[in-house]
Amino acid sequence: MATSVAPKVFKNFIDGEWVESRGNTAFENRNPANTDECIGMFPSSTEEDVNSAVEAAAEAYKSWRLVPAPKRAEILYRAAEILVRRKEDLARDMTREMGKILAETRGDVQEAIDMTYFMAGEGRRLFGKTTPSELPNKFAMCVRMPKGVAGLITPWNFPMAIPSWKTMPALVTGNTVVIKPATDTPLSVYHMIQILTEAGLPRGVMNMVTGSGTSVGAPLMKHPQVALVSFTGSTGVGIQVSEACAPALRPCHLELGGKNIILVMDDANLDLAIDGCLWGGFGTSGQRCTASSRVAVHKKVYSEFVQKFTARVKTLKVGDGLDPATQMGPCVNQSQLETVMRYVEIGKNEGAHLAAGGNRLTDGAFAKGYFHEPTVFVDCNPKMRICQEEIFGPVVSVMPCEGLEDAVEIANGVKYGLSSSIYTRNVNHAFYAMRDLYTGIVYINAPTIGAETHLPFGGTKQTGNGHRESGDAALDFYSEWKTIYVDYSDKLQRAQID
Ligand code: UN1
């Protein structure tokens, strides 16, 4: 049903005020389960807006960096409390703007809560090191110092969790922030900013500019006063971010694609593995960089797995994420849906066997959304494009393997290295896999999704550029080590010589 009420009009947040964009144009944020519903109009901002936001952040940095970290953390702690109180409403709004089911958007808000509490705790740690000097009457230590203005560019698949992964460590270490949320999901970042403001964050410390990658993201990552950039998105765009930052040697943290795998051994609990493949493959409609988009199954249990897994996939209930019965929501937008449909054609042409799904859903309630059937290709060859390229949708490619060694080789035979998993009840196999799977995250007897906020998150190879976010590992990106020597001998002492 078309909405007759005018959509809400949102603004940028610069220097503690909600302000219009100089661009005077706006983009729509629509519900991917029902495109008749316009959630709001957000500014299509310009380079001038970015400049104002960066200037405000640079000015606020002068005082924010001097606020004691435990005091900065108290604001985060209060923000976490508000997030807890508003969790349900935030989750509902997130489902409306992004499409994933309520259980998952609650999880997304919970992940932001976890990260905010975790980083609030870090405010009373931020440990450095002290160590003996090689010289007498000399003291040596290192401390963390903030870097300045952080430019954050965030994706739509975790509309609040990922912005919080970047914002909270940036703030607690004393940086100020300019954030550009994904154009599909600016509402969740708007909520996060409101909450941080309510919690007492001083003006200018957190700024938001909405708009496209070209108009907002590009000037943000190139701005001379931006000290660091953190980006989560596709590997293609990540390379552009890296190139934009390179001439100024601006540090950038990139969190990019994945082609994650579940290995199912002949000694696995098969039903448990199937539960994992369903959740890892079709949770968030497969739109996670950690999604279990590949499954390699030991030849001895292959046909049993295929038969049981595809039967279960066919029972998954697709629909509006606000309906409690729904198990899988829509794709986030038209272009994502088209990518999925394109890869289904690619898979068929490559000779993979389509065992479940394969079609866009258009009947009845599906007509107004970007719905696609949960889709399974079986008898795939590891070299096929559907086994090599990130699809970011509800498509799982299943292939047989000879045994453990072959499985690990298949797992590592892609350009990405985010997450991997093995189902086995043999402890020797589990440890072999833990050692040899070349990914940033490895799961034993659990799917490739479900990272927790107090551990490092990130991957090898083209999944990123070596940095990690989440956990105390994130502090290493958002702060610089400063090594300090204090000589109290009252004479010249020469290291390595005296
Ligand atoms: C992502 O897909 O970009 O581990 C992040 C997980 C979530 C985070 C995913 N906690 O699946």
Side-chain angles (χ1 to χ4, degrees), residues 111 157-158 162 165 232 288-290 443 449-451 457:
E111 203 161 333
N157 66 335
F158 277 81
I162 292 181
W165 290 8
T232 298
R288 294 195 190 208
C289 30
T290 51
Y443 291 89
I449 68 175
F457 182 95

Side-chain angles (χ1 to χ4, degrees), residues 44-59:
S44 299
S45 307
T46 65
E47 184 164 356
E48 276 184 289
D49 300 316
V50 173
N51 292 344
S52 306
V54 173
E55 276 157 33
E59 187 56 34

Side-chain angles (χ1 to χ4, degrees), residues 401-421:
C401 68
E402 296 295 316
L404 181 61
E405 257 177 73
D406 184 35
V408 170
E409 207 175 302
I410 292 171
N412 290 338
V414 291
K415 66 181 181 182
Y416 300 110
L418 182 54
S419 185
S420 56
S421 138

Side-chain angles (χ1 to χ4, degrees), residues 185-199:
T185 55
L187 182 62
S188 295
V189 173
Y190 162 86
H191 286 318
M192 194 178 89
I193 292 202
Q194 272 206 325
I195 287 167
L196 280 164
T197 307
E198 192 184 326

